[in-house]
Amino acid sequence: MEECCFREDQELCIFYSSRLLELIMKKYTYAILVVLDKYGKLRFNEIQRKILGLTQRTLSIRLKELEKVKLIKRVVEPSEPVKVYYTITTEGKAVKNAMQILVSLANLLDNNKDAYLC
Amino acid sequence: MEECCFREDQELCIFYSSRLLELIMKKYTYAILVVLDKYGKLRFNEIQRKILGLTQRTLSIRLKELEKVKLIKRVVEPSEPVKVYYTITTEGKAVKNAMQILVSLANLLDNNKDAYLC
DNA sequence: CCGTATCCCTTACGATACTG
DNA sequence: CAGTATCGTAAGGGATACGG
């Protein structure tokens, strides 16, 4: 997880993975960042409805993970009843944009013509 | 896997995942692309020795997956005995570079100071 | 509406041993 | 050297049901 890979002469160091990178690569992470970036702020069920196949369970887990590393922010509106919103942070936008390059490239190279991004 | 995510009005389409993207995100994929890019061509055991923690089994699987999608190339040198080399393709370099942005960003944002990239 | 808990299945991957 | 085969464990995530 936090391991480093060294060449015999200790010159090259490749970090093949980090906790954040692993989170970024998990299913639906990118989709969540995209919808939050597009819509500014969304409620739990709004996010779920916008992303096909995303279950409440996975959304719940993913939101907590994303909030913990500050890629998104959980905002509780003190109304009656209370409303919970999620927004994307500046760091989240940076990650989303970097991901977008990779996703576009992957779709470009992917032989599977069903796989595309709009 | 090849699913698309639609908003109710069918306007937004987010592709959260593709086979290629999943491969790119697998453990050691990035490390393999980096060493092949750095050294030009490498043999099976050379790659394994350069990447700490990478087992023969995983390397074998990953090389086949990467070759299949043409991010790397398997070259058999007709010598005696036969030598097998692996090289990175232009597409592989593009993916590696896109990944590098994300890895750098992840390391930058990662709170874990043990997690770094050199 | 906003989640949490439980069950279960699939896949990734490490360890180890073996082969041409 | 360049792999393959088998086994075991752990994590991801879908389905479903439940709670404040």
Side-chain angles (χ1 to χ4, degrees), chain B residues 33-64:
Chain B
L33 293 180
V34 169
V35 295
L36 286 181
D37 187 46
K38 185 177 173 73
Y39 295 99
K41 65 176 189 177
L42 287 174
R43 306 182 64 175
F44 187 90
N45 285 333
E46 288 175 330
I47 299 173
Q48 203 211 339
R49 266 182 265 113
K50 288 184 192 308
I51 302 172
L52 187 70
L54 175 56
T55 61
Q56 287 183 318
R57 176 194 138 84
T58 302
L59 177 57
S60 176
I61 294 169
R62 203 63 77 248
L63 286 175
K64 262 186 219 141

PDB file of all heavy atoms in Angstrom, chain B residues 33-64:
ATOM      1  N   LEU B  33       4.841   0.181 -16.766  1.00  0.00           N
ATOM      2  CA  LEU B  33       4.972   1.151 -17.861  1.00  0.00           C
ATOM      3  C   LEU B  33       6.149   2.086 -17.624  1.00  0.00           C
ATOM      4  O   LEU B  33       6.896   2.419 -18.548  1.00  0.00           O
ATOM      5  CB  LEU B  33       3.664   1.951 -18.009  1.00  0.00           C
ATOM      6  CG  LEU B  33       2.444   1.165 -18.490  1.00  0.00           C
ATOM      7  CD1 LEU B  33       1.229   2.079 -18.587  1.00  0.00           C
ATOM      8  CD2 LEU B  33       2.710   0.499 -19.836  1.00  0.00           C
ATOM      9  N   VAL B  34       6.336   2.493 -16.376  1.00  0.00           N
ATOM     10  CA  VAL B  34       7.437   3.409 -16.052  1.00  0.00           C
ATOM     11  C   VAL B  34       8.799   2.776 -16.331  1.00  0.00           C
ATOM     12  O   VAL B  34       9.649   3.384 -16.978  1.00  0.00           O
ATOM     13  CB  VAL B  34       7.357   3.878 -14.582  1.00  0.00           C
ATOM     14  CG1 VAL B  34       8.639   4.598 -14.163  1.00  0.00           C
ATOM     15  CG2 VAL B  34       6.171   4.809 -14.388  1.00  0.00           C
ATOM     16  N   VAL B  35       8.998   1.563 -15.864  1.00  0.00           N
ATOM     17  CA  VAL B  35      10.315   0.942 -16.085  1.00  0.00           C
ATOM     18  C   VAL B  35      10.559   0.641 -17.558  1.00  0.00           C
ATOM     19  O   VAL B  35      11.679   0.794 -18.047  1.00  0.00           O
ATOM     20  CB  VAL B  35      10.537  -0.335 -15.228  1.00  0.00           C
ATOM     21  CG1 VAL B  35      10.553  -0.002 -13.748  1.00  0.00           C
ATOM     22  CG2 VAL B  35       9.513  -1.393 -15.532  1.00  0.00           C
ATOM     23  N   LEU B  36       9.516   0.241 -18.269  1.00  0.00           N
ATOM     24  CA  LEU B  36       9.705  -0.030 -19.700  1.00  0.00           C
ATOM     25  C   LEU B  36       9.988   1.260 -20.459  1.00  0.00           C
ATOM     26  O   LEU B  36      10.777   1.277 -21.413  1.00  0.00           O
ATOM     27  CB  LEU B  36       8.467  -0.724 -20.288  1.00  0.00           C
ATOM     28  CG  LEU B  36       8.290  -2.193 -19.916  1.00  0.00           C
ATOM     29  CD1 LEU B  36       7.055  -2.773 -20.575  1.00  0.00           C
ATOM     30  CD2 LEU B  36       9.529  -3.008 -20.309  1.00  0.00           C
ATOM     31  N   ASP B  37       9.372   2.342 -20.031  1.00  0.00           N
ATOM     32  CA  ASP B  37       9.625   3.636 -20.664  1.00  0.00           C
ATOM     33  C   ASP B  37      11.054   4.077 -20.376  1.00  0.00           C
ATOM     34  O   ASP B  37      11.754   4.580 -21.246  1.00  0.00           O
ATOM     35  CB  ASP B  37       8.633   4.674 -20.135  1.00  0.00           C
ATOM     36  CG  ASP B  37       8.742   5.991 -20.896  1.00  0.00           C
ATOM     37  OD1 ASP B  37       8.802   5.953 -22.139  1.00  0.00           O
ATOM     38  OD2 ASP B  37       8.768   7.041 -20.239  1.00  0.00           O
ATOM     39  N   LYS B  38      11.487   3.849 -19.145  1.00  0.00           N
ATOM     40  CA  LYS B  38      12.813   4.307 -18.731  1.00  0.00           C
ATOM     41  C   LYS B  38      13.932   3.493 -19.374  1.00  0.00           C
ATOM     42  O   LYS B  38      14.944   4.048 -19.786  1.00  0.00           O
ATOM     43  CB  LYS B  38      12.922   4.223 -17.208  1.00  0.00           C
ATOM     44  CG  LYS B  38      14.218   4.783 -16.628  1.00  0.00           C
ATOM     45  CD  LYS B  38      14.209   4.718 -15.106  1.00  0.00           C
ATOM     46  CE  LYS B  38      15.553   5.101 -14.503  1.00  0.00           C
ATOM     47  NZ  LYS B  38      15.834   6.533 -14.574  1.00  0.00           N
ATOM     48  N   TYR B  39      13.742   2.184 -19.466  1.00  0.00           N
ATOM     49  CA  TYR B  39      14.829   1.319 -19.930  1.00  0.00           C
ATOM     50  C   TYR B  39      14.701   0.857 -21.379  1.00  0.00           C
ATOM     51  O   TYR B  39      15.549   0.129 -21.871  1.00  0.00           O
ATOM     52  CB  TYR B  39      14.964   0.120 -19.000  1.00  0.00           C
ATOM     53  CG  TYR B  39      15.382   0.525 -17.615  1.00  0.00           C
ATOM     54  CD1 TYR B  39      14.451   0.645 -16.589  1.00  0.00           C
ATOM     55  CD2 TYR B  39      16.708   0.831 -17.339  1.00  0.00           C
ATOM     56  CE1 TYR B  39      14.829   1.047 -15.323  1.00  0.00           C
ATOM     57  CE2 TYR B  39      17.104   1.246 -16.083  1.00  0.00           C
ATOM     58  CZ  TYR B  39      16.162   1.342 -15.073  1.00  0.00           C
ATOM     59  OH  TYR B  39      16.539   1.749 -13.830  1.00  0.00           O
ATOM     60  N   GLY B  40      13.637   1.236 -22.042  1.00  0.00           N
ATOM     61  CA  GLY B  40      13.508   0.879 -23.450  1.00  0.00           C
ATOM     62  C   GLY B  40      12.987  -0.533 -23.645  1.00  0.00           C
ATOM     63  O   GLY B  40      11.840  -0.724 -24.021  1.00  0.00           O
ATOM     64  N   LYS B  41      13.811  -1.513 -23.381  1.00  0.00           N
ATOM     65  CA  LYS B  41      13.320  -2.882 -23.457  1.00  0.00           C
ATOM     66  C   LYS B  41      13.901  -3.687 -22.301  1.00  0.00           C
ATOM     67  O   LYS B  41      15.047  -3.504 -21.899  1.00  0.00           O
ATOM     68  CB  LYS B  41      13.671  -3.524 -24.807  1.00  0.00           C
ATOM     69  CG  LYS B  41      15.148  -3.725 -25.078  1.00  0.00           C
ATOM     70  CD  LYS B  41      15.340  -4.459 -26.398  1.00  0.00           C
ATOM     71  CE  LYS B  41      16.815  -4.870 -26.573  1.00  0.00           C
ATOM     72  NZ  LYS B  41      17.032  -5.640 -27.806  1.00  0.00           N
ATOM     73  N   LEU B  42      13.071  -4.563 -21.785  1.00  0.00           N
ATOM     74  CA  LEU B  42      13.476  -5.355 -20.626  1.00  0.00           C
ATOM     75  C   LEU B  42      12.961  -6.777 -20.766  1.00  0.00           C
ATOM     76  O   LEU B  42      11.928  -7.018 -21.404  1.00  0.00           O
ATOM     77  CB  LEU B  42      12.906  -4.744 -19.337  1.00  0.00           C
ATOM     78  CG  LEU B  42      13.525  -3.436 -18.821  1.00  0.00           C
ATOM     79  CD1 LEU B  42      12.736  -2.927 -17.634  1.00  0.00           C
ATOM     80  CD2 LEU B  42      14.993  -3.640 -18.443  1.00  0.00           C
ATOM     81  N   ARG B  43      13.660  -7.694 -20.130  1.00  0.00           N
ATOM     82  CA  ARG B  43      13.227  -9.080 -20.125  1.00  0.00           C
ATOM     83  C   ARG B  43      12.352  -9.318 -18.891  1.00  0.00           C
ATOM     84  O   ARG B  43      12.318  -8.508 -17.970  1.00  0.00           O
ATOM     85  CB  ARG B  43      14.443 -10.001 -20.122  1.00  0.00           C
ATOM     86  CG  ARG B  43      15.389  -9.674 -21.266  1.00  0.00           C
ATOM     87  CD  ARG B  43      16.558 -10.604 -21.309  1.00  0.00           C
ATOM     88  NE  ARG B  43      16.117 -11.970 -21.586  1.00  0.00           N
ATOM     89  CZ  ARG B  43      16.957 -12.978 -21.775  1.00  0.00           C
ATOM     90  NH1 ARG B  43      18.256 -12.760 -21.715  1.00  0.00           N
ATOM     91  NH2 ARG B  43      16.515 -14.201 -22.015  1.00  0.00           N
ATOM     92  N   PHE B  44      11.654 -10.427 -18.921  1.00  0.00           N
ATOM     93  CA  PHE B  44      10.704 -10.761 -17.855  1.00  0.00           C
ATOM     94  C   PHE B  44      11.303 -10.609 -16.450  1.00  0.00           C
ATOM     95  O   PHE B  44      10.806  -9.850 -15.622  1.00  0.00           O
ATOM     96  CB  PHE B  44      10.209 -12.201 -18.042  1.00  0.00           C
ATOM     97  CG  PHE B  44       9.103 -12.608 -17.115  1.00  0.00           C
ATOM     98  CD1 PHE B  44       7.778 -12.421 -17.464  1.00  0.00           C
ATOM     99  CD2 PHE B  44       9.388 -13.183 -15.879  1.00  0.00           C
ATOM    100  CE1 PHE B  44       6.753 -12.803 -16.607  1.00  0.00           C
ATOM    101  CE2 PHE B  44       8.370 -13.555 -15.015  1.00  0.00           C
ATOM    102  CZ  PHE B  44       7.053 -13.366 -15.379  1.00  0.00           C
ATOM    103  N   ASN B  45      12.411 -11.291 -16.230  1.00  0.00           N
ATOM    104  CA  ASN B  45      12.994 -11.261 -14.892  1.00  0.00           C
ATOM    105  C   ASN B  45      13.634  -9.924 -14.544  1.00  0.00           C
ATOM    106  O   ASN B  45      13.730  -9.574 -13.370  1.00  0.00           O
ATOM    107  CB  ASN B  45      14.023 -12.390 -14.749  1.00  0.00           C
ATOM    108  CG  ASN B  45      13.340 -13.738 -14.605  1.00  0.00           C
ATOM    109  OD1 ASN B  45      12.210 -13.814 -14.135  1.00  0.00           O
ATOM    110  ND2 ASN B  45      14.006 -14.789 -15.040  1.00  0.00           N
ATOM    111  N   GLU B  46      14.024  -9.183 -15.562  1.00  0.00           N
ATOM    112  CA  GLU B  46      14.568  -7.841 -15.313  1.00  0.00           C
ATOM    113  C   GLU B  46      13.472  -6.924 -14.754  1.00  0.00           C
ATOM    114  O   GLU B  46      13.701  -6.173 -13.810  1.00  0.00           O
ATOM    115  CB  GLU B  46      15.152  -7.241 -16.600  1.00  0.00           C
ATOM    116  CG  GLU B  46      16.458  -7.882 -17.045  1.00  0.00           C
ATOM    117  CD  GLU B  46      16.950  -7.342 -18.388  1.00  0.00           C
ATOM    118  OE1 GLU B  46      16.101  -6.955 -19.227  1.00  0.00           O
ATOM    119  OE2 GLU B  46      18.161  -7.308 -18.592  1.00  0.00           O
ATOM    120  N   ILE B  47      12.311  -7.026 -15.370  1.00  0.00           N
ATOM    121  CA  ILE B  47      11.178  -6.215 -14.889  1.00  0.00           C
ATOM    122  C   ILE B  47      10.862  -6.578 -13.447  1.00  0.00           C
ATOM    123  O   ILE B  47      10.710  -5.712 -12.589  1.00  0.00           O
ATOM    124  CB  ILE B  47       9.922  -6.436 -15.763  1.00  0.00           C
ATOM    125  CG1 ILE B  47      10.189  -6.027 -17.210  1.00  0.00           C
ATOM    126  CG2 ILE B  47       8.740  -5.646 -15.202  1.00  0.00           C
ATOM    127  CD1 ILE B  47       9.054  -6.386 -18.155  1.00  0.00           C
ATOM    128  N   GLN B  48      10.797  -7.877 -13.204  1.00  0.00           N
ATOM    129  CA  GLN B  48      10.425  -8.327 -11.857  1.00  0.00           C
ATOM    130  C   GLN B  48      11.411  -7.829 -10.805  1.00  0.00           C
ATOM    131  O   GLN B  48      11.031  -7.390  -9.731  1.00  0.00           O
ATOM    132  CB  GLN B  48      10.358  -9.848 -11.814  1.00  0.00           C
ATOM    133  CG  GLN B  48       9.457 -10.339 -10.674  1.00  0.00           C
ATOM    134  CD  GLN B  48       9.892 -11.669 -10.121  1.00  0.00           C
ATOM    135  OE1 GLN B  48      10.592 -12.429 -10.757  1.00  0.00           O
ATOM    136  NE2 GLN B  48       9.470 -11.930  -8.904  1.00  0.00           N
ATOM    137  N   ARG B  49      12.697  -7.861 -11.138  1.00  0.00           N
ATOM    138  CA  ARG B  49      13.713  -7.438 -10.185  1.00  0.00           C
ATOM    139  C   ARG B  49      13.676  -5.938  -9.920  1.00  0.00           C
ATOM    140  O   ARG B  49      14.060  -5.481  -8.851  1.00  0.00           O
ATOM    141  CB  ARG B  49      15.104  -7.850 -10.686  1.00  0.00           C
ATOM    142  CG  ARG B  49      15.546  -9.200 -10.105  1.00  0.00           C
ATOM    143  CD  ARG B  49      16.934  -9.587 -10.565  1.00  0.00           C
ATOM    144  NE  ARG B  49      16.901 -10.461 -11.737  1.00  0.00           N
ATOM    145  CZ  ARG B  49      17.337 -10.132 -12.952  1.00  0.00           C
ATOM    146  NH1 ARG B  49      17.856  -8.950 -13.173  1.00  0.00           N
ATOM    147  NH2 ARG B  49      17.263 -11.002 -13.936  1.00  0.00           N
ATOM    148  N   LYS B  50      13.184  -5.183 -10.873  1.00  0.00           N
ATOM    149  CA  LYS B  50      13.159  -3.732 -10.708  1.00  0.00           C
ATOM    150  C   LYS B  50      11.968  -3.239  -9.900  1.00  0.00           C
ATOM    151  O   LYS B  50      11.937  -2.097  -9.450  1.00  0.00           O
ATOM    152  CB  LYS B  50      13.157  -3.044 -12.081  1.00  0.00           C
ATOM    153  CG  LYS B  50      14.503  -3.147 -12.768  1.00  0.00           C
ATOM    154  CD  LYS B  50      14.509  -2.379 -14.058  1.00  0.00           C
ATOM    155  CE  LYS B  50      15.745  -2.731 -14.867  1.00  0.00           C
ATOM    156  NZ  LYS B  50      16.995  -2.612 -14.117  1.00  0.00           N
ATOM    157  N   ILE B  51      10.963  -4.081  -9.758  1.00  0.00           N
ATOM    158  CA  ILE B  51       9.751  -3.655  -9.058  1.00  0.00           C
ATOM    159  C   ILE B  51       9.538  -4.488  -7.803  1.00  0.00           C
ATOM    160  O   ILE B  51       9.156  -5.650  -7.867  1.00  0.00           O
ATOM    161  CB  ILE B  51       8.529  -3.728  -9.988  1.00  0.00           C
ATOM    162  CG1 ILE B  51       8.760  -2.839 -11.219  1.00  0.00           C
ATOM    163  CG2 ILE B  51       7.278  -3.285  -9.241  1.00  0.00           C
ATOM    164  CD1 ILE B  51       7.702  -2.972 -12.288  1.00  0.00           C
ATOM    165  N   LEU B  52       9.743  -3.877  -6.697  1.00  0.00           N
ATOM    166  CA  LEU B  52       9.660  -4.572  -5.412  1.00  0.00           C
ATOM    167  C   LEU B  52       8.242  -5.056  -5.137  1.00  0.00           C
ATOM    168  O   LEU B  52       7.287  -4.310  -5.285  1.00  0.00           O
ATOM    169  CB  LEU B  52      10.108  -3.622  -4.288  1.00  0.00           C
ATOM    170  CG  LEU B  52      10.229  -4.246  -2.898  1.00  0.00           C
ATOM    171  CD1 LEU B  52      11.405  -5.202  -2.844  1.00  0.00           C
ATOM    172  CD2 LEU B  52      10.379  -3.160  -1.844  1.00  0.00           C
ATOM    173  N   GLY B  53       8.108  -6.294  -4.755  1.00  0.00           N
ATOM    174  CA  GLY B  53       6.805  -6.827  -4.376  1.00  0.00           C
ATOM    175  C   GLY B  53       6.060  -7.480  -5.521  1.00  0.00           C
ATOM    176  O   GLY B  53       5.053  -8.152  -5.313  1.00  0.00           O
ATOM    177  N   LEU B  54       6.557  -7.266  -6.729  1.00  0.00           N
ATOM    178  CA  LEU B  54       5.881  -7.832  -7.904  1.00  0.00           C
ATOM    179  C   LEU B  54       6.256  -9.306  -8.069  1.00  0.00           C
ATOM    180  O   LEU B  54       7.411  -9.644  -8.266  1.00  0.00           O
ATOM    181  CB  LEU B  54       6.291  -7.036  -9.147  1.00  0.00           C
ATOM    182  CG  LEU B  54       5.801  -7.526 -10.505  1.00  0.00           C
ATOM    183  CD1 LEU B  54       4.296  -7.652 -10.541  1.00  0.00           C
ATOM    184  CD2 LEU B  54       6.280  -6.594 -11.595  1.00  0.00           C
ATOM    185  N   THR B  55       5.260 -10.172  -7.992  1.00  0.00           N
ATOM    186  CA  THR B  55       5.513 -11.602  -8.134  1.00  0.00           C
ATOM    187  C   THR B  55       5.480 -12.021  -9.602  1.00  0.00           C
ATOM    188  O   THR B  55       4.944 -11.317 -10.447  1.00  0.00           O
ATOM    189  CB  THR B  55       4.460 -12.427  -7.371  1.00  0.00           C
ATOM    190  OG1 THR B  55       3.176 -12.151  -7.924  1.00  0.00           O
ATOM    191  CG2 THR B  55       4.451 -12.081  -5.893  1.00  0.00           C
ATOM    192  N   GLN B  56       6.048 -13.176  -9.887  1.00  0.00           N
ATOM    193  CA  GLN B  56       6.035 -13.691 -11.259  1.00  0.00           C
ATOM    194  C   GLN B  56       4.613 -13.860 -11.765  1.00  0.00           C
ATOM    195  O   GLN B  56       4.301 -13.543 -12.903  1.00  0.00           O
ATOM    196  CB  GLN B  56       6.753 -15.046 -11.306  1.00  0.00           C
ATOM    197  CG  GLN B  56       8.265 -14.930 -11.176  1.00  0.00           C
ATOM    198  CD  GLN B  56       8.935 -16.277 -11.312  1.00  0.00           C
ATOM    199  OE1 GLN B  56       8.455 -17.258 -10.773  1.00  0.00           O
ATOM    200  NE2 GLN B  56      10.053 -16.321 -12.028  1.00  0.00           N
ATOM    201  N   ARG B  57       3.798 -14.373 -10.900  1.00  0.00           N
ATOM    202  CA  ARG B  57       2.405 -14.600 -11.264  1.00  0.00           C
ATOM    203  C   ARG B  57       1.717 -13.317 -11.725  1.00  0.00           C
ATOM    204  O   ARG B  57       1.147 -13.251 -12.812  1.00  0.00           O
ATOM    205  CB  ARG B  57       1.657 -15.178 -10.060  1.00  0.00           C
ATOM    206  CG  ARG B  57       0.179 -15.359 -10.286  1.00  0.00           C
ATOM    207  CD  ARG B  57      -0.520 -15.606  -8.947  1.00  0.00           C
ATOM    208  NE  ARG B  57      -1.759 -14.880  -8.877  1.00  0.00           N
ATOM    209  CZ  ARG B  57      -2.898 -15.332  -9.379  1.00  0.00           C
ATOM    210  NH1 ARG B  57      -2.931 -16.500  -9.965  1.00  0.00           N
ATOM    211  NH2 ARG B  57      -3.985 -14.607  -9.291  1.00  0.00           N
ATOM    212  N   THR B  58       1.808 -12.299 -10.887  1.00  0.00           N
ATOM    213  CA  THR B  58       1.159 -11.034 -11.212  1.00  0.00           C
ATOM    214  C   THR B  58       1.793 -10.395 -12.448  1.00  0.00           C
ATOM    215  O   THR B  58       1.083  -9.893 -13.323  1.00  0.00           O
ATOM    216  CB  THR B  58       1.242 -10.067 -10.016  1.00  0.00           C
ATOM    217  OG1 THR B  58       0.639 -10.674  -8.878  1.00  0.00           O
ATOM    218  CG2 THR B  58       0.541  -8.750 -10.317  1.00  0.00           C
ATOM    219  N   LEU B  59       3.114 -10.453 -12.527  1.00  0.00           N
ATOM    220  CA  LEU B  59       3.798  -9.889 -13.704  1.00  0.00           C
ATOM    221  C   LEU B  59       3.330 -10.582 -14.975  1.00  0.00           C
ATOM    222  O   LEU B  59       3.036  -9.928 -15.977  1.00  0.00           O
ATOM    223  CB  LEU B  59       5.316 -10.032 -13.546  1.00  0.00           C
ATOM    224  CG  LEU B  59       6.149  -9.546 -14.733  1.00  0.00           C
ATOM    225  CD1 LEU B  59       5.851  -8.086 -15.069  1.00  0.00           C
ATOM    226  CD2 LEU B  59       7.635  -9.738 -14.470  1.00  0.00           C
ATOM    227  N   SER B  60       3.250 -11.897 -14.916  1.00  0.00           N
ATOM    228  CA  SER B  60       2.807 -12.673 -16.070  1.00  0.00           C
ATOM    229  C   SER B  60       1.412 -12.260 -16.525  1.00  0.00           C
ATOM    230  O   SER B  60       1.169 -12.038 -17.715  1.00  0.00           O
ATOM    231  CB  SER B  60       2.830 -14.159 -15.710  1.00  0.00           C
ATOM    232  OG  SER B  60       2.319 -14.930 -16.770  1.00  0.00           O
ATOM    233  N   ILE B  61       0.515 -12.165 -15.566  1.00  0.00           N
ATOM    234  CA  ILE B  61      -0.860 -11.753 -15.871  1.00  0.00           C
ATOM    235  C   ILE B  61      -0.899 -10.343 -16.446  1.00  0.00           C
ATOM    236  O   ILE B  61      -1.510 -10.091 -17.484  1.00  0.00           O
ATOM    237  CB  ILE B  61      -1.730 -11.812 -14.590  1.00  0.00           C
ATOM    238  CG1 ILE B  61      -1.883 -13.259 -14.117  1.00  0.00           C
ATOM    239  CG2 ILE B  61      -3.090 -11.179 -14.840  1.00  0.00           C
ATOM    240  CD1 ILE B  61      -2.485 -13.390 -12.734  1.00  0.00           C
ATOM    241  N   ARG B  62      -0.189  -9.440 -15.776  1.00  0.00           N
ATOM    242  CA  ARG B  62      -0.234  -8.033 -16.177  1.00  0.00           C
ATOM    243  C   ARG B  62       0.373  -7.814 -17.560  1.00  0.00           C
ATOM    244  O   ARG B  62      -0.154  -7.041 -18.365  1.00  0.00           O
ATOM    245  CB  ARG B  62       0.495  -7.176 -15.126  1.00  0.00           C
ATOM    246  CG  ARG B  62       0.070  -5.746 -15.101  1.00  0.00           C
ATOM    247  CD  ARG B  62      -1.397  -5.539 -14.715  1.00  0.00           C
ATOM    248  NE  ARG B  62      -1.638  -5.672 -13.301  1.00  0.00           N
ATOM    249  CZ  ARG B  62      -2.348  -6.676 -12.781  1.00  0.00           C
ATOM    250  NH1 ARG B  62      -2.896  -7.578 -13.547  1.00  0.00           N
ATOM    251  NH2 ARG B  62      -2.549  -6.743 -11.492  1.00  0.00           N
ATOM    252  N   LEU B  63       1.461  -8.510 -17.856  1.00  0.00           N
ATOM    253  CA  LEU B  63       2.103  -8.360 -19.167  1.00  0.00           C
ATOM    254  C   LEU B  63       1.158  -8.806 -20.285  1.00  0.00           C
ATOM    255  O   LEU B  63       1.078  -8.154 -21.324  1.00  0.00           O
ATOM    256  CB  LEU B  63       3.405  -9.173 -19.218  1.00  0.00           C
ATOM    257  CG  LEU B  63       4.594  -8.605 -18.444  1.00  0.00           C
ATOM    258  CD1 LEU B  63       5.772  -9.560 -18.485  1.00  0.00           C
ATOM    259  CD2 LEU B  63       4.999  -7.230 -18.974  1.00  0.00           C
ATOM    260  N   LYS B  64       0.460  -9.883 -20.054  1.00  0.00           N
ATOM    261  CA  LYS B  64      -0.489 -10.370 -21.062  1.00  0.00           C
ATOM    262  C   LYS B  64      -1.620  -9.377 -21.280  1.00  0.00           C
ATOM    263  O   LYS B  64      -2.029  -9.114 -22.409  1.00  0.00           O
ATOM    264  CB  LYS B  64      -1.063 -11.720 -20.630  1.00  0.00           C
ATOM    265  CG  LYS B  64      -0.362 -12.892 -21.285  1.00  0.00           C
ATOM    266  CD  LYS B  64      -1.079 -14.180 -20.926  1.00  0.00           C
ATOM    267  CE  LYS B  64      -0.086 -15.291 -20.682  1.00  0.00           C
ATOM    268  NZ  LYS B  64      -0.454 -16.159 -19.570  1.00  0.00           N
TER     269      LYS B  64
END
